[in-house]
Short mmCIF file of all heavy atoms in Angstrom, two decimals:
data_model
loop_
_atom_site.label_atom_id
_atom_site.label_comp_id
_atom_site.label_asym_id
_atom_site.label_seq_id
_atom_site.Cartn_x
_atom_site.Cartn_y
_atom_site.Cartn_z
N PRO W 1 -36.99 -89.98 54.79
CA PRO W 1 -38.43 -90.11 54.55
C PRO W 1 -38.78 -89.80 53.09
O PRO W 1 -38.18 -88.91 52.48
CB PRO W 1 -39.04 -89.09 55.51
CG PRO W 1 -37.97 -88.06 55.69
CD PRO W 1 -36.67 -88.80 55.63
N ILE W 2 -39.72 -90.56 52.55
CA ILE W 2 -40.06 -90.45 51.14
C ILE W 2 -40.91 -89.20 50.90
O ILE W 2 -41.92 -88.98 51.56
CB ILE W 2 -40.83 -91.70 50.66
CG1 ILE W 2 -40.02 -92.96 50.98
CG2 ILE W 2 -41.15 -91.59 49.19
CD1 ILE W 2 -38.70 -93.04 50.27
N LYS W 3 -40.49 -88.40 49.93
CA LYS W 3 -41.27 -87.23 49.51
C LYS W 3 -42.04 -87.61 48.25
O LYS W 3 -41.48 -88.18 47.31
CB LYS W 3 -40.36 -86.05 49.22
CG LYS W 3 -39.59 -85.57 50.44
CD LYS W 3 -38.69 -84.39 50.09
CE LYS W 3 -37.91 -83.91 51.30
NZ LYS W 3 -37.00 -82.78 50.96
N SER W 4 -43.33 -87.31 48.24
CA SER W 4 -44.18 -87.70 47.12
C SER W 4 -43.66 -87.19 45.79
O SER W 4 -43.65 -87.92 44.78
CB SER W 4 -45.61 -87.18 47.34
OG SER W 4 -46.18 -87.73 48.51
N GLU W 5 -43.20 -85.93 45.76
CA GLU W 5 -42.73 -85.35 44.50
C GLU W 5 -41.52 -86.11 43.98
O GLU W 5 -41.41 -86.41 42.78
CB GLU W 5 -42.36 -83.88 44.69
CG GLU W 5 -43.53 -82.98 45.07
CD GLU W 5 -43.87 -83.06 46.55
OE1 GLU W 5 -43.16 -83.75 47.31
OE2 GLU W 5 -44.87 -82.41 46.96
N GLU W 6 -40.60 -86.44 44.88
CA GLU W 6 -39.39 -87.17 44.47
C GLU W 6 -39.75 -88.57 43.99
O GLU W 6 -39.20 -89.07 43.00
CB GLU W 6 -38.41 -87.25 45.64
CG GLU W 6 -37.12 -87.98 45.29
CD GLU W 6 -36.20 -88.13 46.50
OE1 GLU W 6 -36.62 -87.74 47.61
OE2 GLU W 6 -35.09 -88.64 46.32
N LEU W 7 -40.65 -89.23 44.69
CA LEU W 7 -41.07 -90.57 44.32
C LEU W 7 -41.69 -90.58 42.92
O LEU W 7 -41.31 -91.40 42.07
CB LEU W 7 -42.07 -91.11 45.34
CG LEU W 7 -42.72 -92.45 44.99
CD1 LEU W 7 -41.69 -93.56 44.95
CD2 LEU W 7 -43.82 -92.78 46.00
N LEU W 8 -42.64 -89.68 42.69
CA LEU W 8 -43.32 -89.65 41.40
C LEU W 8 -42.36 -89.30 40.27
O LEU W 8 -42.45 -89.85 39.17
CB LEU W 8 -44.47 -88.64 41.45
CG LEU W 8 -45.61 -88.99 42.41
CD1 LEU W 8 -46.60 -87.83 42.52
CD2 LEU W 8 -46.34 -90.26 41.96
N LYS W 9 -41.43 -88.39 40.53
CA LYS W 9 -40.45 -88.01 39.51
C LYS W 9 -39.55 -89.19 39.16
O LYS W 9 -39.27 -89.45 37.98
CB LYS W 9 -39.61 -86.84 40.02
CG LYS W 9 -38.57 -86.36 39.02
CD LYS W 9 -37.77 -85.19 39.59
CE LYS W 9 -36.69 -84.76 38.60
NZ LYS W 9 -35.88 -83.62 39.14
N THR W 10 -39.10 -89.92 40.18
CA THR W 10 -38.23 -91.07 39.94
C THR W 10 -38.94 -92.16 39.15
O THR W 10 -38.38 -92.75 38.22
CB THR W 10 -37.73 -91.64 41.29
OG1 THR W 10 -37.02 -90.64 42.00
CG2 THR W 10 -36.80 -92.84 41.06
N ILE W 11 -40.20 -92.42 39.52
CA ILE W 11 -40.97 -93.44 38.81
C ILE W 11 -41.19 -93.03 37.34
O ILE W 11 -41.00 -93.85 36.42
CB ILE W 11 -42.33 -93.68 39.50
CG1 ILE W 11 -42.11 -94.36 40.85
CG2 ILE W 11 -43.24 -94.52 38.62
CD1 ILE W 11 -43.38 -94.53 41.66
N LYS W 12 -41.55 -91.78 37.11
CA LYS W 12 -41.80 -91.30 35.75
C LYS W 12 -40.53 -91.38 34.90
O LYS W 12 -40.56 -91.88 33.76
CB LYS W 12 -42.31 -89.86 35.79
CG LYS W 12 -42.62 -89.30 34.41
CD LYS W 12 -43.15 -87.87 34.50
CE LYS W 12 -43.44 -87.32 33.11
NZ LYS W 12 -43.96 -85.94 33.16
N GLN W 13 -39.41 -90.91 35.45
CA GLN W 13 -38.16 -90.95 34.70
C GLN W 13 -37.71 -92.39 34.44
O GLN W 13 -37.23 -92.71 33.36
CB GLN W 13 -37.07 -90.18 35.46
CG GLN W 13 -37.29 -88.68 35.50
CD GLN W 13 -36.24 -87.95 36.31
OE1 GLN W 13 -35.53 -88.54 37.13
NE2 GLN W 13 -36.13 -86.65 36.09
N GLY W 14 -37.86 -93.22 35.46
CA GLY W 14 -37.46 -94.62 35.31
C GLY W 14 -38.28 -95.34 34.26
O GLY W 14 -37.75 -96.10 33.44
N TRP W 15 -39.59 -95.10 34.27
CA TRP W 15 -40.47 -95.78 33.30
C TRP W 15 -40.21 -95.28 31.89
O TRP W 15 -40.23 -96.06 30.93
CB TRP W 15 -41.92 -95.57 33.71
CG TRP W 15 -42.87 -96.31 32.83
CD1 TRP W 15 -43.88 -95.78 32.08
CD2 TRP W 15 -42.92 -97.72 32.62
NE1 TRP W 15 -44.55 -96.77 31.41
CE2 TRP W 15 -43.98 -97.97 31.72
CE3 TRP W 15 -42.16 -98.79 33.10
CZ2 TRP W 15 -44.30 -99.26 31.28
CZ3 TRP W 15 -42.48 -100.08 32.66
CH2 TRP W 15 -43.54 -100.29 31.78
N GLU W 16 -39.95 -93.98 31.76
CA GLU W 16 -39.63 -93.42 30.44
C GLU W 16 -38.35 -94.04 29.89
O GLU W 16 -38.29 -94.44 28.72
CB GLU W 16 -39.46 -91.90 30.56
CG GLU W 16 -39.35 -91.19 29.24
CD GLU W 16 -40.70 -90.90 28.61
OE1 GLU W 16 -41.73 -91.24 29.21
OE2 GLU W 16 -40.71 -90.34 27.51
N ARG W 17 -37.35 -94.15 30.72
CA ARG W 17 -36.09 -94.76 30.29
C ARG W 17 -36.28 -96.24 29.99
O ARG W 17 -35.73 -96.77 29.02
CB ARG W 17 -35.03 -94.58 31.39
CG ARG W 17 -33.71 -95.26 31.10
CD ARG W 17 -32.73 -95.02 32.22
NE ARG W 17 -31.54 -95.84 32.08
CZ ARG W 17 -30.55 -95.87 32.97
NH1 ARG W 17 -30.60 -95.11 34.04
NH2 ARG W 17 -29.50 -96.65 32.77
N HIS W 18 -37.07 -96.90 30.81
CA HIS W 18 -37.35 -98.32 30.63
C HIS W 18 -38.03 -98.57 29.28
O HIS W 18 -37.66 -99.48 28.53
CB HIS W 18 -38.24 -98.81 31.77
CG HIS W 18 -38.52 -100.28 31.77
ND1 HIS W 18 -37.55 -101.22 32.03
CD2 HIS W 18 -39.66 -100.97 31.54
CE1 HIS W 18 -38.09 -102.43 31.96
NE2 HIS W 18 -39.36 -102.30 31.65
N ARG W 19 -39.03 -97.75 28.96
CA ARG W 19 -39.74 -97.91 27.68
C ARG W 19 -38.82 -97.64 26.50
O ARG W 19 -38.88 -98.31 25.47
CB ARG W 19 -40.94 -96.96 27.63
CG ARG W 19 -42.10 -97.37 28.51
CD ARG W 19 -43.36 -96.65 28.12
NE ARG W 19 -43.19 -95.20 28.18
CZ ARG W 19 -44.10 -94.33 27.76
NH1 ARG W 19 -45.21 -94.75 27.22
NH2 ARG W 19 -43.89 -93.04 27.88
N LEU W 20 -37.93 -96.65 26.64
CA LEU W 20 -37.01 -96.31 25.57
C LEU W 20 -36.05 -97.47 25.30
O LEU W 20 -35.78 -97.81 24.13
CB LEU W 20 -36.23 -95.04 25.94
CG LEU W 20 -35.25 -94.51 24.89
CD1 LEU W 20 -35.98 -94.19 23.60
CD2 LEU W 20 -34.53 -93.27 25.43
N GLU W 21 -35.55 -98.09 26.36
CA GLU W 21 -34.66 -99.23 26.19
C GLU W 21 -35.37 -100.39 25.52
O GLU W 21 -34.80 -101.09 24.67
CB GLU W 21 -34.10 -99.65 27.55
CG GLU W 21 -33.11 -98.64 28.13
CD GLU W 21 -32.66 -99.01 29.54
OE1 GLU W 21 -33.23 -99.97 30.11
OE2 GLU W 21 -31.74 -98.35 30.05
N LYS W 22 -36.64 -100.62 25.89
CA LYS W 22 -37.40 -101.70 25.27
C LYS W 22 -37.64 -101.42 23.79
O LYS W 22 -37.58 -102.33 22.95
CB LYS W 22 -38.73 -101.87 26.00
CG LYS W 22 -38.61 -102.41 27.40
CD LYS W 22 -38.07 -103.83 27.42
CE LYS W 22 -39.02 -104.81 26.79
NZ LYS W 22 -38.48 -106.19 26.82
N LEU W 23 -37.92 -100.16 23.46
CA LEU W 23 -38.13 -99.80 22.06
C LEU W 23 -36.85 -99.99 21.25
O LEU W 23 -36.89 -100.48 20.11
CB LEU W 23 -38.59 -98.34 21.96
CG LEU W 23 -40.04 -98.07 22.37
CD1 LEU W 23 -40.30 -96.57 22.42
CD2 LEU W 23 -40.99 -98.72 21.37
N ARG W 24 -35.72 -99.62 21.82
CA ARG W 24 -34.46 -99.82 21.13
C ARG W 24 -34.17 -101.30 20.92
O ARG W 24 -33.67 -101.71 19.86
CB ARG W 24 -33.32 -99.16 21.92
CG ARG W 24 -33.35 -97.63 21.84
CD ARG W 24 -32.35 -97.01 22.79
NE ARG W 24 -32.31 -95.56 22.64
CZ ARG W 24 -31.71 -94.73 23.49
NH1 ARG W 24 -31.11 -95.22 24.58
NH2 ARG W 24 -31.71 -93.43 23.27
N GLN W 25 -34.49 -102.10 21.93
CA GLN W 25 -34.30 -103.54 21.79
C GLN W 25 -35.21 -104.10 20.70
O GLN W 25 -34.78 -104.92 19.88
CB GLN W 25 -34.61 -104.24 23.13
CG GLN W 25 -34.44 -105.75 23.07
CD GLN W 25 -34.80 -106.41 24.39
OE1 GLN W 25 -34.96 -105.74 25.42
NE2 GLN W 25 -34.95 -107.71 24.38
N THR W 26 -36.48 -103.65 20.69
CA THR W 26 -37.41 -104.09 19.66
C THR W 26 -36.92 -103.69 18.28
O THR W 26 -37.00 -104.47 17.32
CB THR W 26 -38.81 -103.49 19.90
OG1 THR W 26 -39.29 -103.91 21.17
CG2 THR W 26 -39.79 -103.93 18.81
N ASN W 27 -36.37 -102.49 18.18
CA ASN W 27 -35.86 -102.02 16.91
C ASN W 27 -34.68 -102.86 16.43
O ASN W 27 -34.59 -103.21 15.25
CB ASN W 27 -35.44 -100.55 17.04
CG ASN W 27 -35.09 -99.92 15.70
OD1 ASN W 27 -35.80 -100.10 14.72
ND2 ASN W 27 -33.99 -99.20 15.66
N ARG W 28 -33.78 -103.21 17.35
CA ARG W 28 -32.64 -104.06 16.99
C ARG W 28 -33.13 -105.43 16.50
O ARG W 28 -32.59 -105.98 15.54
CB ARG W 28 -31.69 -104.21 18.18
CG ARG W 28 -30.89 -102.96 18.51
CD ARG W 28 -29.77 -103.27 19.48
NE ARG W 28 -30.27 -103.70 20.77
CZ ARG W 28 -30.51 -102.86 21.79
NH1 ARG W 28 -30.30 -101.57 21.65
NH2 ARG W 28 -30.95 -103.32 22.95
N GLU W 29 -34.12 -105.96 17.19
CA GLU W 29 -34.66 -107.26 16.79
C GLU W 29 -35.32 -107.19 15.42
O GLU W 29 -35.19 -108.11 14.61
CB GLU W 29 -35.66 -107.75 17.84
CG GLU W 29 -35.01 -108.09 19.18
CD GLU W 29 -36.02 -108.41 20.26
OE1 GLU W 29 -37.23 -108.23 20.00
OE2 GLU W 29 -35.61 -108.82 21.36
N LEU W 30 -36.04 -106.08 15.15
CA LEU W 30 -36.68 -105.92 13.85
C LEU W 30 -35.64 -105.79 12.74
O LEU W 30 -35.80 -106.35 11.65
CB LEU W 30 -37.58 -104.69 13.86
CG LEU W 30 -38.93 -104.85 14.56
CD1 LEU W 30 -39.62 -103.50 14.67
CD2 LEU W 30 -39.82 -105.83 13.80
N GLU W 31 -34.58 -105.04 13.01
CA GLU W 31 -33.53 -104.90 12.01
C GLU W 31 -32.87 -106.24 11.71
O GLU W 31 -32.59 -106.56 10.55
CB GLU W 31 -32.47 -103.90 12.51
CG GLU W 31 -32.97 -102.45 12.52
CD GLU W 31 -31.94 -101.50 13.09
OE1 GLU W 31 -30.98 -101.98 13.73
OE2 GLU W 31 -32.09 -100.28 12.89
N GLN W 32 -32.64 -107.04 12.76
CA GLN W 32 -32.06 -108.36 12.56
C GLN W 32 -33.01 -109.26 11.79
O GLN W 32 -32.60 -110.00 10.89
CB GLN W 32 -31.72 -109.00 13.92
CG GLN W 32 -31.08 -110.38 13.82
CD GLN W 32 -29.76 -110.37 13.09
OE1 GLN W 32 -28.99 -109.42 13.18
NE2 GLN W 32 -29.48 -111.43 12.35
N ARG W 33 -34.31 -109.17 12.12
CA ARG W 33 -35.30 -109.98 11.41
C ARG W 33 -35.38 -109.57 9.94
O ARG W 33 -35.52 -110.42 9.06
CB ARG W 33 -36.66 -109.82 12.08
CG ARG W 33 -37.77 -110.67 11.48
CD ARG W 33 -37.48 -112.16 11.59
NE ARG W 33 -37.41 -112.57 12.97
CZ ARG W 33 -38.46 -112.96 13.69
NH1 ARG W 33 -39.66 -112.96 13.14
NH2 ARG W 33 -38.30 -113.35 14.93
#
């Protein structure tokens, strides 16, 4: 069964990591440009 605390923590950590990966990708593209 889903626990609210675990769900919110997973979403927050996942989104933080997701944004970081996108920023790194953007940075690589800018460096190449």
Side-chain angles (χ1 to χ4, degrees):
I2 305 297
K3 297 179 180 179
S4 299
E5 296 80 4
E6 181 184 4
L7 173 64
L8 295 172
K9 181 180 178 181
T10 301
I11 291 175
K12 181 179 179 180
Q13 291 177 341
W15 184 239
E16 189 83 1
R17 176 179 170 183
H18 185 68
R19 287 196 302 173
L20 182 59
E21 290 175 352
K22 292 294 294 180
L23 286 171
R24 287 172 175 167
Q25 180 182 348
T26 300
N27 189 45
R28 288 192 295 269
E29 292 173 353
L30 283 171
E31 289 177 345
Q32 181 61 35
R33 183 62 63 87

